[in-house]
Amino acid sequence: MKDYRDVIIRPIITEKSMKLMAEDNKYTFEVAKSTNKVEIRQAVEAIWNVKVEQVNTSNSKQRTKRVGRYMGKVPAVHKAIVKLKEGYSIDLFGDAE
């Protein structure tokens, strides 16, 4: 069994993920490549003390990206979109009010 903090790598903060967070109570995380939905659910519930309703995962492939004349690579990422049950929320930004 992995440590829960090794499963969740970081939250993904984009305009789309912020909209999902505000409207549907869904949070987007980058997770370790070898994890499954059950491990992600257990990790989120253990770290933030919330109840998870649903977990969706996706794998994005590595691709090349060009900036001017320079070619680079965008890394492959394993993402998880976690929907929390009604009444629960995660404070990602540390706004203690």
Side-chain angles (χ1 to χ4, degrees), residues 42-93:
Q42 291 171 350
V44 170
E45 288 179 349
I47 294 170
W48 285 287
N49 197 19
V50 294
K51 295 292 182 188
V52 174
E53 183 175 324
Q54 181 180 9
V55 177
N56 293 328
T57 60
S58 68
N59 288 312
S60 66
K61 296 180 181 178
Q62 183 181 25
R63 60 186 173 88
T64 57
K65 184 174 182 179
R66 180 181 174 148
V67 178
R69 65 179 186 173
Y70 301 104
M71 295 293 286
K73 293 191 184 279
V74 176
V77 177
H78 188 191
K79 292 187 223 177
I81 299 174
V82 178
K83 182 174 183 179
L84 300 181
K85 290 188 178 179
E86 192 70 31
Y88 290 97
S89 66
I90 296 174
D91 185 20
L92 293 177
F93 303 109

